[in-house]
Every structure is written in C-alpha cells, then in structure tokens.
Amino acid sequence: MSTETFEFQVEARQLLQLMIHSVYSNKDVFLRELVSNASDALDKLRLAKLRDDTLDADVSDPHIELETDPDARTLTVRDNGIGMSYDEVGELIGTIANSGTAQFLKELKEAQDAEEEGLIGQFGVGFYSGFMVADEVTLLTRKAGEKQGTRWSSRGEGTYTLERVDDAPQGTSVVLHLKPADPDNQLHDYTSVWKLKEIVKRYSDFITWPIRLVGEKGDDGEAAEPETLNSMKALWARPRDEVSEDEYHELYKHIGHDWREPLETIQLHAEGTFEYQALLFVPSHAPHDLFRQNMRHGLQLYVKRVFIMDDCEALLPSYLRFVKGVVDAQDLSLNVSREILQQDRHIRMMQRRLTKKVLSSVKSMMTRDADKYATFWREFGAVLKEGLVTDPDNRDALLAVASFASTHEDGDAVTLKQYVERLPEGQDDIYYITGESREAIDNSPHMEAFRERGIEVLLLTDPVDEVWVDAVGEFEGKRLRSVAKGEIDLDAREDDKSEDEQKQQAEAYAGLLGWMRERLDDDLKEVRLSTRLTRSPACLVADADDLTPALENMYRAMGQEVPHSKRVLELNPDHALVKGLNEAYTEREDRSELADTAELLYALAVVAEGGRPKDPARFVRLTADRLERTL
C-alpha cells in the first residue's frame, strides 16, 4: 500500500510544541489521555452495536491493553473499540494539523470565554500529548465493520504519514517510541511496570473497561497472563444496597488520606439533561489546617470515570471545605488539558445541588442521631457558620442545622428554633454575647442582669460569630441582639426603682457622668448609668451599629483599616465604688485625685471584658497606689 506524507503548517508546528511543553503541567497525564480515548472508543462500539446488531464487530471481550518493550523503549496502548477509518484519522488526528494556530487558539478561547463545550472531546487533542514523552508516535487503527485499516506516523516535527493497511485488527493501537528517561524534568521511565500501575491507579482506576498490562514473554516464549490494573469499582455509580459500609470506608480512607472512618456517607445520583453521580463523606474530625488560607480542599472530579482533578474547589462552597468525595459527570466543559475546570452553568448547578444535599444530610443527622450531630457540630460548626455570611441563598438551611451554647443548657447546644419556642411572653429579642471563651463570657458583667432575671442568652465563642449575627439580623421575626451593645431595657423586677426614683438618681449622677465624659474624651463617647449591671461597678458597651473591638481587630488582621469606635462606659449606681466616687465628686472642689480613680474605673471595665488597658504600666501603678492606701 502507498504511503502519503503530509506537511504540518508552520504555525501548526509551533502550536504542537506549545501543546507538548505548556498545556500539560504533568507529563504522566499522557497515559490518562490515551486510556480515556480508548475508553471512549469502547463506549462508542457498545453503542453502535446496540443500534445495529448486524454490525460486523467483535464485542465479546472489550478491553484496553498496555504493553511495554524496555529494549526497544516502546509503550503501546491499544483497544478493540470502534476504531477509525482512513478519512477519520485524517480528520480527527489532524485536528491540530489542519486547523492552523489562529483557528485553534480562537476555538480554545471561545470554549473558555463563552462557557461552551471545550475541545477535550476531540481525539486529536489528547492524542498529541503522547509527544511529551515520545520522539515518534505510530497509530494503527481499523474501524469496526470495515476490512481495511490505517497507519499514521509522525515525529511531531515537520511531517506525518498516512498509509492504508490490510492486516490491522479492530480498534486502535498507539505505539510510543519513548524519549530517554529524565527524572530531573519529570520525564519518567514509562516502560516501568510500577510507574504504569501508579498512573492507572491515580487517573483511570474507575474506568468501566479493564485496563490490562500484557505480560512479558518468559524463557519458554510464553507470555504471562495479562494483569488487570484498574478496579473498575466506581462505588458512586452502584446502588447503595449493593455496596458494603466497609467498601465505602475504604474509599474514603483512600481519597481522604485518613485512617479513621467517616462520620457520614452521602450519595447522590442526578439524572436528566445533565447527569452525574456523587459520593461524599463527612470526616469524623476536623483537619489541622481547616482554617489555614492555603488549605487544599475540594472534591475529586471524574468525567465518565476518568480522573480529571484532585481538589475541585468549584464543586462546593468554601464553608464545606471539609467534605471529601468524588463527583463523576457524564458530560462537562473542560479546557484542552482536562486540568482546569471552566466555570460554566453545569458546575454552578452541581454546586447548588451538592450543597443542598450536604445540608439536608446534616439536618437528618440532627433528628436521627444526636450524638453524631454533636460530633459534627463540635468539629465543623465554626466553619459551617461562615456560610451564614457568604451564602445568603442557603442561609435558612444553615440556620436550621446550627446550634449554640446557652445559659439555659449546661452542656447541650440549642437551636434558634428551640430558643424562639421557649421565649417568655413579651420578649421580642434573641439575646447573645460573643467572646473568646465560654468562661470569659459566662463571667462577663454584661450578663449580670440577664442571669438575675433568668433571661436566656446564647454564648458565642467562635471568631465568625462576630460577623454572622449582623449578617443574619433576625430569625422568625425575632431580632438578634447583643447584650453588650446598645441600651438594654429589661422587664422591671419587684425591687427595681420607680420612675421617680430613677429620675432622682439620674439627676444625682448627672454631674459625675458629664465630668467623666470630659476626662475620658479620647476613649469614650458617653458615660451613663447602667440597667444591666447588678454586681460589677462598670462595663463597656458599643452602640447598636458600632463594630465590637474583636471585630475591629479581625478586620485589621485581614489588612483592612477601620476607624476606632469610641464606646460607652456604663456605671452601676448601686455599687459602693460608684456611690463613693459620686459623693467625693459632689463634696470636693479639688478633683485631681478623682481623675485617677475615674481612669482606673474605666480600665477595670476594659479588663473585665478581657481587654488590655491602653497603658498597662500606668494601670498597675494606679492600682498599687490605691491598694497601699488601704493598709
């Protein structure tokens, strides 16, 4: 048979070099591409035989073979799938050669920018990745139902050849004449059996068809039995009742790099115009880097059981970054290298569906297994609450699965719904307090009147709590309100003062309050009498719309400049220290010493909320001086 030689265009040669050296970041993926093409060919043959049972094709043992020859330094990837005709080889393998650089790059850019189908579906693109590891590539193919085959060959430089052959088997074989191994440039010895096994295990383990490594011939000339390298066990594609928990757990340990069993297994099958399967796992413990900015997270992405990428962040929102698992799509827009995912509507659709599935599974966990839910919330509650700020579309679902420590529960957490259900008549607010620890906020002066009156307060100790309460604002018509912000008007007690008594008290303290406001003008916007203190002499509160000191510090730590908010100093008029200060202010004309006492009282309020005095050394001197006078 005659052999025809074709020349690459100049720009096509340049593009081929770009493909070989730039498009793929990891040379190992050439085998993934060739195996994927072989798998597609087997899929197409199965479909063609179903459509036309008279098709003259062997479908008795569909498979993919890898065969190495270390002496000749060749690697062969073959399949007995649909194969290609002479014209199809010229068209499909010539995709790059015939399109020219400008047209190819135009199609690539359109596929990325317009979020349409990518170029990965074209055989020629993945096929040419073989030139990353080979000096010469030879392809032999025969289309099922045809008698004559085709041989294509090229060194990836100036030309390629096409030849019609009579003795080609059904399917396609690609022979790679390998370059010398160069470990320094990540060019491995691809005749190495262990290396091939490693690549197949990583990228193609769940391919539907068996991938067999053809054994070397022994001294007797007999070849060893072929070894199947892939498991073909795509657990996510099988009904749940056909898979044991042990199998699920083993898969989780493999992809999650965890020796413990998962807390929850979640399976999803989406059917319709866009089909995909997902198998997700909630770990039983939080990873050590859960809150690190550079934490690697995301799900493993497969397309038709072909591994595409390890950490596909686009499939779940950041606040579910602890979830591990696999998503296998039947059809997906990818870029030319299969390595970078386009942000198209299919991805957004999958993220919405997967997010809702995870949150509904957590809600189910709350009702059917309280202990398991308690473990989940202890490990992941803080990160899940990030979604209350970043994902308003799922805010209601997140609030439904969130729980919080409370003054009404010794150890058990309470949901917002439970809080609202036991609200006493007349209370229209959900009270909360934020702080660094349970112990610190339990003993906060802001809590005194609430404890005395038996009013339930949520105790929030995660940094994100400072943010989400403002973002949410209310729950079922009840306002979320900090006990440390704004003026608090609690229901009166029997021993509370009458309105006339309160008015008289306000008049009696008016002078002291105004004087202290002037003395502490750099730090305070107001000094007033408190209704929330019963035992402590003073406390600091923020106005309802002001940032708390903790939130100010958080923004500054993130590099955002925020103005310092002056706060309000509230004094307990029934405390002996405040009473004595007011009497001294009223009786003395020389108030120079009282200025130090006022400053000390303000510093005590700062310390009481876990803060640090502006001048710690001065605070110590003032305190020591006062203590000395008591001796």
Side-chain angles (χ1 to χ4, degrees):
M1 294 290 179
S2 63
T3 301
E4 296 183 83
T5 301
F6 300 87
E7 279 196 17
F8 289 116
Q9 298 175 4
V10 173
E11 67 267 21
R13 284 204 304 272
Q14 295 171 346
L15 181 56
L16 180 56
Q17 294 305 308
L18 177 67
M19 290 277 304
I20 293 170
H21 298 295
S22 302
V23 174
Y24 293 91
S25 60
N26 180 357
K27 293 181 174 62
D28 288 355
V29 300
F30 84 91
L31 186 57
R32 178 192 69 184
E33 297 295 332
L34 296 180
V35 168
S36 178
N37 287 338
S39 177
D40 289 344
L42 291 167
D43 288 336
K44 290 175 181 176
L45 177 61
R46 178 177 59 178
L47 183 60
K49 188 67 174 177
L50 286 172
R51 289 176 174 171
D52 181 9
D53 59 6
T54 65
L55 179 66
D56 182 17
D58 180 11
V59 293
S60 60
D61 181 27
H63 62 276
I64 301 165
E65 285 184 350
L66 307 181
E67 184 174 4
T68 63
D69 186 337
D71 294 333
R73 290 206 50 76
T74 61
L75 169 64
T76 302
V77 181
R78 68 170 64 92
D79 65 76
N80 55 352
I82 192 70
M84 291 176 284
S85 66
Y86 183 91
D87 291 340
E88 286 173 337
V89 171
E91 178 184 349
L92 296 175
I93 305 299
T95 297
I96 296 175
N98 293 333
S99 65
T101 305
Q103 179 63 23
F104 181 81
L105 293 179
K106 179 174 180 293
E107 291 178 10
L108 175 58
K109 188 175 189 306
E110 287 177 352
Q112 292 174 333
D113 294 347
E115 299 184 352
E116 296 172 353
E117 284 202 357
L119 297 174
I120 194 61
Q122 300 184 12
F123 184 93
V125 173
F127 171 77
Y128 271 97
S129 65
F131 283 101
M132 289 192 298
V133 300
D135 290 321
E136 182 179 357
V137 177
T138 301
L139 174 141
L140 179 63
T141 184
R142 177 172 66 82
K143 188 168 186 176
E146 295 187 359
K147 302 299 183 185
Q148 195 172 60
T150 304
R151 180 180 287 111
W152 179 100
S153 185
S154 176
R155 297 186 60 84
E157 297 170 349
T159 62
Y160 64 94
T161 63
L162 279 176
E163 177 187 3
R164 301 179 190 272
V165 295
D166 292 327
D167 56 351
Q170 172 190 302
T172 301
S173 66
V174 179
V175 181
L176 304 172
H177 300 267
L178 297 168
K179 298 175 182 178
D182 184 2
D184 291 339
N185 291 316
Q186 295 186 334
L187 185 60
H188 303 287
D189 180 5
Y190 295 107
T191 66
S192 167
V193 169
W194 74 264
K195 184 60 181 177
L196 297 180
K197 288 182 177 180
E198 176 192 70
I199 297 173
V200 170
K201 184 68 177 176
R202 174 167 175 77
Y203 291 108
S204 308
D205 192 49
F206 304 114
I207 289 284
T208 308
W209 313 105
I211 303 170
R212 298 169 183 163
L213 181 63
V214 178
E216 297 181 6
K217 293 183 178 180
D219 296 335
D220 58 1
E222 293 292 326
E225 282 294 316
E227 178 184 357
T228 300
L229 303 183
N230 58 324
S231 70
M232 297 176 285
K233 290 183 178 179
L235 301 185
W236 54 86
R238 295 163 58 187
R240 187 149 189 165
D241 57 3
E242 294 182 6
V243 183
S244 70
E245 286 300 309
D246 287 342
E247 288 180 294
Y248 282 136
H249 293 171
E250 283 304 313
L251 178 61
Y252 164 72
K253 292 173 183 178
H254 172 67
I255 63 178
H257 306 291
D258 191 0
W259 55 271
R260 285 163 281 206
E261 295 182 350
L263 188 68
E264 188 78 356
T265 301
I266 304 168
Q267 193 166 20
L268 173 64
H269 286 261
E271 298 179 344
T273 55
F274 179 67
E275 296 184 5
Y276 59 94
Q277 296 90 36
L279 185 59
L280 310 181
F281 301 98
V282 176
S284 57
H285 63 101
H288 64 88
D289 58 350
L290 184 60
F291 292 100
R292 290 186 184 174
Q293 193 170 9
N294 60 351
M295 175 196 179
R296 293 185 63 185
H297 63 276
L299 304 177
Q300 288 191 353
L301 176 64
Y302 286 74
V303 175
K304 295 180 182 177
R305 301 194 187 182
V306 177
F307 178 76
I308 301 300
M309 61 193 304
D310 226 344
D311 305 301
C312 186
E313 298 179 5
L315 290 171
L316 281 176
S318 176
Y319 64 87
L320 293 179
R321 57 185 175 270
F322 54 88
V323 176
K324 305 294 183 182
V326 173
V327 175
D328 187 0
Q330 294 305 304
D331 186 21
L332 202 59
S333 298
L334 301 171
N335 85 328
V336 66
S337 69
R338 295 182 188 260
E339 292 178 277
I340 303 173
L341 206 58
Q342 290 181 358
Q343 297 296 310
D344 65 6
R345 60 187 181 88
H346 288 149
I347 295 298
R348 293 193 293 271
M349 181 178 69
M350 282 197 291
Q351 188 197 75
R352 287 194 296 269
R353 181 79 182 274
L354 293 170
T355 300
K356 291 183 183 301
K357 183 66 175 179
V358 172
L359 295 181
S360 67
S361 297
V362 175
K363 188 173 183 180
S364 174
M365 191 192 304
M366 288 181 76
T367 57
R368 62 179 166 79
D369 195 329
D371 290 341
K372 184 182 285 189
Y373 168 77
T375 299
F376 169 82
W377 192 254
R378 182 182 68 248
E379 298 292 326
F380 304 110
V383 67
L384 206 72
K385 285 186 285 188
E386 293 175 8
L388 294 171
V389 181
T390 60
D391 188 3
D393 290 342
N394 286 302
R395 185 170 290 165
D396 289 343
L398 285 162
L399 287 173
V401 300
S403 58
F404 315 94
S406 162
T407 54
H408 277 31
E409 303 288 347
D410 291 335
D412 296 335
V414 61
T415 65
L416 291 181
K417 188 172 184 63
Q418 290 170 327
Y419 184 106
V420 169
E421 286 174 347
R422 60 193 183 208
L423 275 179
E425 187 176 350
Q427 181 179 333
D428 295 323
D429 296 327
I430 299 172
Y431 290 110
Y432 70 88
I433 184 170
T434 59
E436 291 185 357
S437 69
R438 172 72 182 262
E439 182 180 11
I441 58 181
D442 256 344
N443 297 317
S444 168
H446 301 101
M447 296 285 289
E448 293 174 2
F450 291 86
R451 286 197 178 281
E452 190 165 313
R453 288 166 169 79
I455 298 174
E456 182 173 12
V457 179
L458 300 179
L459 310 174
L460 310 180
T461 56
D462 293 319
V464 70
D465 293 327
E466 295 280 356
V467 184
W468 75 258
V469 287
D470 288 332
V472 172
E474 65 168 37
F475 178 77
E476 294 189 355
K478 304 296 183 182
R479 180 176 55 164
L480 288 162
R481 190 170 181 191
S482 171
V483 303
K485 295 179 73 172
E487 294 195 60
I488 298 293
D489 183 19
L490 301 178
D491 290 338
R493 301 166 295 169
E494 291 183 2
D495 60 341
D496 277 344
K497 303 175 182 67
S498 66
E499 287 187 14
D500 287 341
E501 289 174 324
Q502 291 177 8
K503 185 176 181 181
Q504 291 173 5
Q505 192 175 63
E507 291 174 353
Y509 278 88
L512 174 66
L513 300 180
W515 174 77
M516 288 184 66
R517 164 70 177 78
E518 292 179 5
R519 299 294 306 180
L520 301 169
D521 179 65
D522 289 344
D523 302 298
L524 300 174
K525 67 169 64 174
E526 183 182 356
V527 182
R528 67 189 180 211
L529 298 182
S530 178
T531 60
R532 75 186 87 212
L533 294 174
T534 60
R535 296 190 303 276
S536 300
C539 71
L540 286 167
V541 299
D543 275 346
D545 296 327
D546 286 349
L547 297 179
T548 63
L551 199 53
E552 286 185 15
N553 293 336
M554 190 184 304
Y555 283 130
R556 291 190 183 103
M558 294 187 294
Q560 299 183 33
E561 284 301 319
V562 293
H564 173 67
S565 299
K566 291 185 178 182
R567 302 173 71 198
V568 176
L569 178 66
E570 289 193 352
L571 303 182
N572 180 359
D574 297 321
H575 194 280
L577 175 59
V578 178
K579 283 182 178 180
L581 180 60
N582 189 47
E583 290 171 1
Y585 171 81
T586 305
E587 295 170 357
R588 300 180 192 177
E589 291 186 7
D590 181 6
R591 298 176 179 129
S592 56
E593 285 194 14
L594 293 184
D596 288 347
T597 304
E599 183 182 339
L600 188 58
L601 188 59
Y602 164 64
L604 289 173
V606 172
V607 173
E609 67 174 8
R612 179 181 177 180
K614 185 166 58 176
D615 187 346
R618 177 173 172 78
F619 172 70
V620 171
R621 287 196 304 271
L622 289 175
T623 305
D625 178 60
R626 293 303 185 273
L627 289 173
E628 183 182 349
R629 295 181 189 182
T630 66
L631 298 176

